[in-house]
Amino acid sequence: MFSSDYTVAPRTLEEVYSAYKSVASSVLVAGGKGLSHHTDHYDLAIDLSNLGLNYIRDRGDEILIGAMTPLDAIGMYPFFRSFGGGVVSRYIYTLTDDELRKNATIGGVLACKMPFSVLIPILLCLTVDVELHDKGRMSLNDYLCCPPMGELITCVSIAKERLCT
C-alpha cells in the first residue's frame, strides 16, 4: 500500500486542484484500488470522497457518470444492462474480485490508462467523452493519446447510440 506524510479531503474541485499543483509529490485517491499494490511514498494524498462525484445521470441523449462512481454501480444501472447487449455490465461482472468491482472507480480506470483494462476498448467502441477539471471536455480517444496532464477527471459522458445487438 502507498504511504503519505499528509492527507487532505477537499470539498471543492478548486481545492483539489490547488493542493495537487502545490505539492510536487502528491497523489489523488479515489477508490484506492489502483494504489493498493503500490509501495510509493507521497508527501500529500488527496482524498476525493467529499466531491460528490459518485453519480449516474440520464440526460436523454447521454449518460453522465461521476468519476468516483464504482464499477459495480455502473454494472447494475439499468441502461448498461441492456445497452449494446449489456456489454458494459457483462464485462464488469466478469471481474471475480468483489472488492475491485465495489471500489474501483470509472475515473480511476481511465486515469490510470492501463492497457490491460478490458473496459477501455469497450468504451472506445462507443462515443465517450471525459470532462477534465480546468481542461474541459474531450473524447476518450484523445484523452488516452495525451501524455499525463495531471488533470482530474470529473465526469464520463457516454452518448446513447443505437447499436447492433
Side-chain angles (χ1 to χ4, degrees):
M1 184 71 169
F2 79 99
S3 61
S4 68
D5 293 331
Y6 189 64
T7 301
V8 295
R11 297 201 173 271
T12 68
L13 291 171
E14 290 73 25
E15 290 173 354
V16 169
Y17 190 68
S18 175
Y20 187 70
K21 294 295 183 181
S22 69
V23 178
S25 174
S26 59
V27 64
L28 301 173
V29 181
K33 288 310 287 181
L35 293 170
S36 63
H37 302 291
H38 288 246
T39 57
D40 300 330
H41 180 80
Y42 299 93
D43 293 332
L44 178 64
I46 304 167
D47 179 351
L48 305 177
S49 62
N50 292 331
L51 297 177
L53 297 177
N54 182 349
Y55 61 83
I56 301 175
R57 296 183 183 131
D58 189 330
R59 290 280 170 97
D61 61 341
E62 66 183 357
I63 299 289
L64 300 179
I65 306 171
M68 291 282 297
T69 305
L71 297 180
D72 195 47
I74 296 167
M76 291 189 307
Y77 193 73
F79 174 78
F80 293 110
R81 294 176 75 94
S82 61
F83 183 63
V87 66
V88 173
S89 289
R90 285 198 324 238
Y91 159 71
I92 289 170
Y93 289 104
T94 63
L95 299 172
T96 57
D97 183 343
D98 289 341
E99 287 300 308
L100 178 65
R101 263 196 335 271
K102 291 177 183 179
N103 293 309
T105 63
I106 186 75
V109 168
L110 298 180
C112 290
K113 300 180 182 182
M114 294 297 183
F116 57 80
S117 172
V118 177
L119 186 57
I120 290 175
I122 291 170
L123 294 177
L124 285 170
C125 293
L126 306 172
T127 302
V128 177
D129 290 339
V130 295
E131 181 81 28
L132 303 173
H133 179 68
D134 273 7
K135 292 279 190 253
R137 189 167 169 161
M138 67 189 310
S139 75
L140 176 60
N141 185 58
D142 288 347
Y143 172 75
L144 293 173
C145 291
C146 286
M149 297 183 287
E151 294 299 323
L152 173 65
I153 296 174
T154 59
C155 181
V156 176
S157 169
I158 300 176
K160 288 183 175 180
E161 301 172 316
R162 182 163 271 212
L163 300 176
C164 298
T165 57

